[in-house]
Amino acid sequence: MIEYVPYSGEPEAMNCPVVSCDTCRRQIVGEGLAVWRIKLRVKDEPRQQTPLYTTHKRECEQALHRRLNGQYSLDENWIDFSEEIDVFLEQLSKNINRSLVVDPASL
């Protein structure tokens, strides 16, 4: 998740945005992932996607997948997706100032 946290360093104290791990709640610094699942469409079902999660790699990532398996089981046609956090944030920043064309078939 993206959240504001207090920072007391120089030049002055302030609140700063950071990416926090949805598993351990600590700031992600360096390696991390954006993680989500999409359900395979069956006939005329609408597109389904989980919320977007952010996590540290390895132990936190594994714990997140165990948690997701409870609600979004891979046995029920959910598929895992992930992106390196730095790549995800770069893509997100590019899309802040441009509108993506929505394909009605994807809804």
Side-chain angles (χ1 to χ4, degrees), residues 1-2 6 23 38 46-47 49 66-67 85 94:
M1 94 172 36
I2 297 173
T23 302
I38 294 176
R47 183 178 185 276
Q49 179 176 317
R66 286 192 298 272
R67 190 172 102 205
I85 198 73
K94 287 179 182 177

Side-chain angles (χ1 to χ4, degrees), residues 52-97:
L52 179 74
Y53 300 92
T54 54
T55 185
H56 291 104
K57 290 186 174 182
R58 297 170 203 55
E59 292 86 7
C60 289
E61 177 187 3
Q62 292 168 0
L64 175 63
H65 283 292
R66 286 192 298 272
R67 190 172 102 205
L68 291 176
N69 285 338
Q71 189 172 0
Y72 309 104
S73 173
L74 299 175
D75 294 336
E76 295 176 1
N77 296 325
W78 288 93
I79 301 172
D80 274 325
F81 287 91
S82 65
E83 185 70 74
E84 298 286 334
I85 198 73
D86 58 339
V87 172
F88 171 79
L89 291 171
E90 183 180 331
Q91 292 172 349
L92 181 64
S93 69
K94 287 179 182 177
N95 293 332
I96 292 295
N97 293 312

Side-chain angles (χ1 to χ4, degrees), residues 28-41:
I28 297 174
V29 178
E31 291 187 344
L33 294 171
V35 175
W36 68 100
R37 289 186 178 177
I38 294 176
K39 189 170 188 179
L40 284 177
R41 294 172 100 182

